[in-house]
Amino acid sequence: MSDYPDPTDPAETASDGAVPAADEPEYDWEGYGFDTRQIHAGEYADPVAGARIPPIALTAGYRFDSWQDGRDRFAGDSDGLIYSRQRTPSGSVAERRIASLEGGVEAIVVSSGQAAITAALFALVRSGERFVSTASIYSGTRILFGRSFERMGIGVDYVWNPLDDDEWEQRIGPDTKAIFTETIPNPKNDIVDLEHVAAVAARHGIPLVVDNTVATPYLIRPGEYGAAVVVHSSTKFLSGHGAAISGTIVDTGAFDWATASRDYPLITAPPAPGAKSALERFGRAAYARATRDAVVNDLGPALSPLHSFLLHQGIETLSLRMDRHLSNSATIAAWLEEHPGVESVDFAGLPSSPYRPLAEKLYGGLSGSVFAVTVRGGSAGAQRFTDRLRVISRMTNIGDVRSMALHPATTTHLGFSEELRARLGITPGLIRLSIGTESVADLIADLDRALS
């Protein structure tokens, strides 16, 4: 007789028995510290071999226990799995882990950060409606809003000074369904006063969607400030290894959909005559359930089980990596500011930065590890600098353990008009740095050689 439990025997795999079902967490990790939860939250016991690491569940679909079980799963009366386009056991580990770290009620993993932003906003904004965004955001997000969202009939209005209440009032209209912002914008490190933006959203009774990719929940949890939704390009710091692309949507449970000033039919309206709404059925997790079932499932940006596995494996070392990222970045930014080959450094943690008070208020003086340096000599100087790098990789991406450098004016912002690039502060000599976890002395030597 095998020493392993029989996965077909309900007595041996029941969720209240010695071996939890394959998609059920082994323990409730609420109340444990961040470092413990980043390792253990969301894990489940392998019911077949007792593997310590949750196995990669490579399957497209899942067997139903009975006719009734299949009906219940499709009706939403059971949490059982249906199809891997919607949810997987491997993805559920990452989802529960990220939700725990962000303090959310539920998370959804998808195929990329762009997919996460798209799904998060599609659940809130319909064709013919609009949302407001702070102007300094990742270039790919701006392109997404100005190209694909526009083709879908969804409009965006930008606020250039997030501290100017008059500008917010001018941009927010009766058809504004959400506010979007980033905690630490890429590449200018011009951090946003999340408390102020959240107050604007609360005053108007509309949900705030926050991209927390660069800060991560290690530095800030936007739900604690009133954000309704948090998104991540979890390709970046959450994974940390640069081996797989993924995105995450977190429902913080902080927004009261019942008293919202606008209508959000996916959440508050019955999906069919006589049926209950997502809000009536799922309460604080209504947004997540509606987004998973009516947006992610429909559009199909599923995250593969393998990439889900790589994501939750990466999260296990998040705090350790972030400590090195932050330490290296602060040291390098201060060193760059004193270098004769540098015109300026956009790093909010520097005492000279106009964003230093916000960095102190929100992050204890830290401001992530993605920032900009402007070298002397304009575009030609930037080219010479970039081509001389050896340790620091010339590539797009951020948040990897490897340090990276990119020239935005000729890459990520190439398609922008000169006027828009200038207004965003993307000058010919500006280089975006994503500082990794290598020895800081080696990184400084590499930068010094490139600048000399």
Side-chain angles (χ1 to χ4, degrees), residues 159 162 180 189 230 301:
V159 167
F180 179 87
N189 210 242
V230 178

Side-chain angles (χ1 to χ4, degrees), residues 169-224:
E169 296 304 316
Q170 292 170 14
R171 299 290 181 268
I172 296 175
D175 58 350
T176 301
K177 301 295 289 291
I179 292 176
F180 179 87
T181 192
E182 295 178 1
T183 45
I184 302 179
N186 157 23
K188 292 287 285 182
N189 210 242
D190 43 350
I191 59 179
V192 172
D193 189 341
L194 187 59
E195 195 171 38
H196 188 92
V197 177
V200 172
R203 186 163 63 245
H204 287 271
I206 53 180
L208 172 62
V209 180
V210 179
D211 187 331
N212 199 29
T213 297
V214 176
T216 81
Y218 184 66
L219 282 181
I220 194 169
R221 289 161 295 281
E224 295 176 0

